[in-house]
Amino acid sequence: MTDVASANAAAAAGPTSSFSMVEEPLDLVRLSLDERIYVKLRGDRELRGRLHAYDQHLNMVLGEVEETITIVDVDEESNTQSVRTVNRKVPMLFVRGDGVILVSPPSRAS
Amino acid sequence: MLFYSFFKTQVGQHVTVELKNDLAIQGVLESVDQFLNFKLKDIKVVDEERYPHMLSVKNCFVRGSVVRYVQLSPPTVDTALLQDAARREAQSTQQMQQAKPNVAPPVA
Amino acid sequence: MSEQQQQSATAVAKKTPTDFLNHILGRRVFVRLNSGIDYRGVLACLDGYMNIALEQTEEYVDGELRNRYGDAFIRGNNVLYISTA
């Protein structure tokens, strides 16, 4: 999974074989099965956990999950914003796909 | 269908369903359908101080689309089986798209 | 105009949205989401739902670099537009 683009180019260059390994975006998720992934969700939520299952809607089951919620507090007196994060751990979690924005293998996230 | 099948294996287990409005409901999973709607029994709202509305409610139906998370009990989840099922599902959906390219319009 | 002429004209002019998307595969692209968050990266592939796989991805919030991802899958429903970088 080093270079999806070149693999894709190679696949496009070659004839469409009977066992065509079509490179589609969801392959990125499939190749992350049993790996720890990073998931960015709506509502300023982020998850890190081991991917056990997913489907085409990006519904997922993650294990050993750490959730980070980013909360922006506005002080109306001074009109200043302060950002804080809340962390919690969940051992096994089903995530509904409609809230997903981005999925990435976390080892590569800096 | 993967997660429908998965949740059928969870019927009878204690789960915590977290909704998109932050309400979290603990209960026993009674049934599930293809939309991942859930029926829960023996329910208890996790933060009753903040959400006292359902103190007398014992059973409920949750529409799938309002669910954000479902917390599960790890010993009840066969992760190896799930991963195999996910790979099989990925293969079958891909084959279906190749066979009927007009159903889901592939761009690339 | 013959069908062949039409096809070659399309290939040059990048007439349809699909032609455009196929044309920018493997190139550096700029993706804006409905939330206003921007991503820059190499477009590895995409599908009919506008799900996107990016490489060497940079995430910008309010124009400031917030994060880097080696690979990133972006769920298509969040995509506002894709342009060349």
Side-chain angles (χ1 to χ4, degrees):
Chain A
M1 242 296 309
T2 52
D3 192 348
V4 182
S6 65
N8 198 40
T16 313
S17 62
S18 54
F19 180 77
S20 70
M21 169 71 197
V22 175
E23 197 63 58
E24 57 167 2
L26 277 166
D27 290 345
L28 208 60
V29 182
R30 180 172 51 83
L31 293 165
S32 303
L33 276 169
D34 208 21
E35 306 275 348
R36 283 192 76 79
I37 60 166
Y38 165 87
V39 183
K40 187 181 177 71
L41 295 166
R42 289 163 175 260
D44 296 318
R45 287 164 192 265
E46 297 168 284
L47 303 174
R48 286 174 178 79
R50 186 172 298 280
L51 181 66
H52 293 306
Y54 74 96
D55 66 11
Q56 65 272 40
H57 306 292
L58 274 299
N59 294 324
M60 292 183 268
V61 168
L62 299 174
E64 304 143 68
V65 184
E66 182 160 357
E67 183 190 28
T68 305
I69 311 173
T70 304
I71 300 165
V72 180
D73 294 314
V74 181
D75 182 4
E76 293 186 5
E77 304 238 328
S78 60
N79 203 20
T80 53
Q81 286 188 357
S82 59
V83 179
R84 67 192 165 95
T85 60
V86 177
N87 279 282
R88 65 165 178 163
K89 292 192 170 161
V90 185
M92 193 62 72
L93 188 68
F94 166 81
V95 182
R96 196 170 161 97
D98 57 4
V100 172
I101 297 173
L102 178 146
V103 180
S104 176
S107 52
R108 295 155 186 259
S110 59
Chain B
M1 290 309 261
L2 198 168
F3 288 99
Y4 172 44
S5 307
F6 168 70
F7 277 110
K8 280 199 283 191
T9 72
Q10 287 286 314
V11 167
Q13 299 294 341
H14 275 92
V15 296
T16 303
V17 177
E18 287 191 47
L19 310 187
K20 288 179 175 139
N21 64 3
D22 291 343
L23 181 68
I25 306 168
Q26 225 173 67
V28 176
L29 184 62
E30 195 178 338
S31 65
V32 60
D33 67 15
Q34 54 167 332
F35 305 110
L36 306 186
N37 299 321
F38 298 117
K39 268 168 83 177
L40 300 174
K41 59 183 177 185
D42 306 330
I43 65 161
K44 199 172 155 65
V45 168
V46 173
D47 189 351
E48 287 189 327
E49 304 237 318
R50 203 173 140 202
Y51 303 100
H53 324 84
M54 308 232 292
L55 278 171
S56 61
V57 181
K58 294 274 185 301
N59 304 287
C60 70
F61 173 93
V62 180
R63 188 177 154 100
S65 62
V66 303
V67 172
R68 180 187 289 134
Y69 302 136
V70 181
Q71 292 182 39
L72 306 155
S73 163
T76 67
V77 179
D78 185 336
T79 57
L81 195 74
L82 265 182
Q83 287 174 25
D84 284 351
R87 289 200 173 86
R88 274 200 301 275
E89 174 115 335
Q91 208 172 16
S92 67
T93 14
Q94 216 167 56
Q95 277 168 358
M96 262 170 54
Q97 285 186 353
Q98 282 167 25
K100 298 187 281 183
N102 294 328
V103 175
V107 168
Chain C
M1 197 188 263
S2 77
E3 195 179 317
Q4 199 169 11
Q5 278 172 319
Q6 250 174 7
Q7 276 180 353
S8 66
T10 307
V12 174
K14 313 293 181 310
K15 272 201 142 116
T16 71
T18 303
D19 288 335
F20 169 74
L21 291 173
N22 284 327
H23 180 68
I24 62 171
L25 272 179
R27 298 221 207 163
R28 290 199 69 80
V29 294
F30 177 93
V31 178
R32 173 156 289 176
L33 305 190
N34 289 318
S35 61
I37 298 181
D38 297 328
Y39 293 92
R40 283 176 190 280
V42 176
L43 181 62
C45 59
L46 71 167
D47 65 16
Y49 302 107
M50 283 245 208
N51 293 324
I52 296 173
L54 285 182
E55 294 171 352
Q56 305 162 40
T57 311
E58 296 171 337
E59 178 181 80
Y60 293 86
V61 181
D62 300 328
E64 283 177 35
L65 181 62
R66 279 294 165 85
N67 243 321
R68 291 178 201 273
Y69 311 101
D71 290 303
F73 171 97
I74 299 172
R75 198 176 191 266
N77 67 308
N78 300 291
V79 175
L80 182 62
Y81 66 75
I82 309 169
S83 74
T84 50

